[in-house]
Amino acid sequence: MLKAYKYRIYPTGEQAILLAKSFGCVRWFYNHALNLTSETYKATGKGLSRNDIINLLPSLKKEHEWLTEPPSQCLQQVALDLSSAFLNFFEKRAKYPNFKKKGQKQSIRFPQGIKLDGENLTLPKLGKVYCKVSRLPEGKLKSVTVSLTHRSEYYAACLYDDGKDKPTSTSEGKAIGIDMGINHYAITSDGTKHGNPKYYRKYEIKLAKKQKQLSRKQKGANNRNKARIKVAKVHSKITRCREDFLHKLSRKLVDENQVVVVENLAVKNMVKNHNLAKSISDAGWGQFCTMLKYKAEWQGKTYIEVDRFFPSSKTCHVCLNQVRSLPLDVRFWTCENCHTKHDRDINAACSIRDEGLRILSQSGLDGLRRRATGVAGGHLATASGQRVRPSKGTAFRGNVG
């Protein structure tokens, strides 16, 4: 399996200068290749391939001698990054690639000639760079991505291949459904409510003060750069606190359960609500689901996403009766059919769990049918494109086995 480890590095003055030149050359070549690809597509209807972009380097290095200063591998990686950006665009996973700017986060990738030995990270043309290693990974070092943050801090993301295969997913064990919220960050089907720390709200006044000081500084002045770093430090504090909370919560939920079921939320559509946009963005639900997914895969556990249109809050998880209307201000309601009193969020988590187990059971039955009819293949189904409204007698509760 491939795993990335991020470390803080401390380059010397000469190494920092070479890194700054490398960032600039990679940024310039990326923008040049992107512009040339766009112009070629407009003229001929076809863009440039990965090899076409790489073949541009020899002539460009003769025309611009400063392109020879950074490691050549970093420039070649531009072709891979740009090809991936266009692939994501054509498959509708991302927007059209944008030009890189100097004020944004800078990064370069080293695919070869790299070595991490103790506290020394060896990079091409840079030599040994001091690296603050918390733990030394096991496996083969595949690539190193060096990045410069807005706080003028350098980090190295080391990608390792431990040589182990990804464990086979199994569903034998405890299953849990998770309903995301704002007042409480995560409500689980076992009745536990995890509080929402709301780190952005916590540092909002301090951030506004630093941003106000930045707006008063003259553009291009050294004091403006100092004020910019202070603003970046507050943003970094919020980000690190949020990531720490999400890592600990996701680790706890994955360790204690074998099947994790969440709701597939459309966060981009939800933030269009101007009353809740800031709180939804501060929650980081997408990042939390990503953490749950890869941590479950690493441990051979099952991660399922239920369709966002599944009426989890309106459906009684006991008798599967569905109410017609349930406004957001109603936090408790009683089922008209079985007269069970529900906590809105806990009932939603239970319904999400039951729907996920139904999907898991259905995918298992489909696999048996395919094997019985001689059809190979099969994968874990999601609620997309399938019946998401439960019917009586189809709900599953308790452990899967």
Side-chain angles (χ1 to χ4, degrees), residues 319-389:
C319 66
L320 303 181
N321 178 53
Q322 182 177 332
V323 296
R324 293 184 178 180
S325 177
L326 192 65
L328 287 175
D329 57 344
V330 178
R331 309 314 301 175
F332 297 90
W333 61 282
T334 302
C335 178
E336 298 177 354
N337 186 31
C338 65
H339 306 289
T340 303
K341 186 176 182 180
H342 294 295
D343 182 295
R344 178 195 183 101
D345 298 326
I346 296 177
N347 175 71
C350 294
S351 299
I352 291 173
R353 177 201 60 193
D354 295 343
E355 176 66 9
L357 296 180
R358 185 195 67 81
I359 296 170
L360 183 62
S361 176
Q362 184 66 33
S363 66
L365 292 175
D366 292 342
L368 291 175
R369 294 192 189 102
R370 281 191 293 267
R371 287 192 291 271
T373 56
V375 179
H379 55 78
L380 182 63
T382 63
S384 302
Q386 300 205 18
R387 180 178 62 84
V388 297
R389 181 176 179 179

Side-chain angles (χ1 to χ4, degrees), residues 168-176 253-260 296 299-303:
T168 305
S169 298
T170 177
S171 58
E172 296 182 359
K174 182 182 177 182
I176 194 170
L253 294 175
V254 171
D255 287 345
E256 295 178 352
N257 303 278
Q258 188 66 33
V259 179
V260 179
Q299 294 187 358
K301 301 186 177 183
T302 303
Y303 171 85

